[in-house]
Amino acid sequence: MRDNELLVTFKSDLYNYSLEQLRYNSDEGVWSIGQMYDHLIVVAHEYLDNLEICAALNEEHPFGKTQFGEQLYKNGGFPPIKIRLPDELNSPPNNSDSKGFLISRMELLIHRMSHMKSKVDYINPNNKVEHGGFGWLNGKEWYELVEMHFRHHLLQKKELDSYLG
């Protein structure tokens, strides 16, 4: 999708949920829709923070991606499987945001993505920041990872929507 279309769609979908639906947990250990949104927004900002670090670096890094990272970018996205992080990295996302606050957080993210899009092609591709699972990524790769991560959560969103009836 182009020009943050996927993020705009996620934001638009928020208008269709009640507060109760956003906070509904179908089972222990299963996120609510609101928690999924919180996770996506927090992680996207982390990725964009790393993009900004790449832009500010004064030294190049010759390091590359891990095998999984290479495969991820070759395929243009995550495999269609559930990925569980280790427990120490897997604390439950926030489940207390109002619908309006989630919408405003999505608007801020979309604005930040649009702002960064105009800069990403001017960042030295050898300025890299390490991702714990994917290896060393440059600014453009961090930017692309935001959309890939949202796309990966489409299956989870569909599953969570099915619990609402």
Side-chain angles (χ1 to χ4, degrees):
M1 293 189 174
R2 297 265 188 249
D3 295 326
N4 302 318
E5 184 180 335
L6 181 59
L7 278 71
V8 170
T9 300
F10 264 80
K11 184 193 95 170
S12 297
D13 288 349
L14 275 169
Y15 290 97
N16 299 322
Y17 299 113
S18 68
L19 185 59
E20 294 75 25
Q21 289 173 321
L22 283 173
R23 293 184 179 169
Y24 176 71
N25 292 104
S26 63
D27 202 358
E28 187 175 328
V30 176
W31 289 352
S32 69
I33 292 169
Q35 286 175 298
M36 180 196 68
Y37 271 88
D38 179 70
H39 166 75
L40 286 167
I41 294 165
V42 167
V43 169
H45 281 295
E46 289 174 6
Y47 293 167
L48 294 176
D49 290 347
N50 285 326
L51 182 161
E52 289 182 347
I53 292 169
C54 289
L57 285 174
N58 291 321
E59 64 180 273
E60 297 183 357
H61 292 280
F63 313 112
K65 296 178 197 70
T66 62
Q67 185 176 355
F68 186 74
E70 287 290 347
Q71 197 64 42
L72 178 81
Y73 282 89
K74 179 181 174 193
N75 295 338
F78 292 84
I81 58 170
K82 290 183 179 182
I83 299 172
R84 179 161 172 83
L85 295 173
D87 287 341
E88 62 272 8
L89 300 174
N90 203 29
S91 58
N94 180 22
N95 198 26
S96 63
D97 284 354
S98 68
K99 179 164 76 170
F101 190 58
L102 282 171
I103 290 168
S104 69
R105 290 176 68 201
M106 282 297 299
E107 288 171 347
L108 179 66
L109 176 61
I110 291 165
H111 176 75
R112 189 175 181 200
M113 286 287 291
S114 296
H115 176 72
M116 297 310 296
K117 183 179 181 186
S118 65
K119 296 181 174 191
V120 74
D121 289 332
Y122 299 101
I123 300 170
N124 183 337
N126 293 311
N127 291 358
K128 301 175 184 179
V129 173
E130 187 175 18
H131 181 284
F134 309 142
W136 291 83
L137 306 180
N138 64 35
K140 186 172 186 172
E141 291 163 336
W142 283 109
Y143 183 87
E144 293 169 349
L145 193 56
V146 173
E147 194 267 343
M148 284 193 272
H149 187 232
F150 266 81
R151 200 168 358 106
H152 174 67
H153 280 274
L154 282 170
L155 289 174
Q156 180 188 25
K157 185 177 182 309
K158 184 175 181 178
E159 181 181 330
L160 295 174
D161 283 343
S162 75
Y163 299 147
L164 301 178

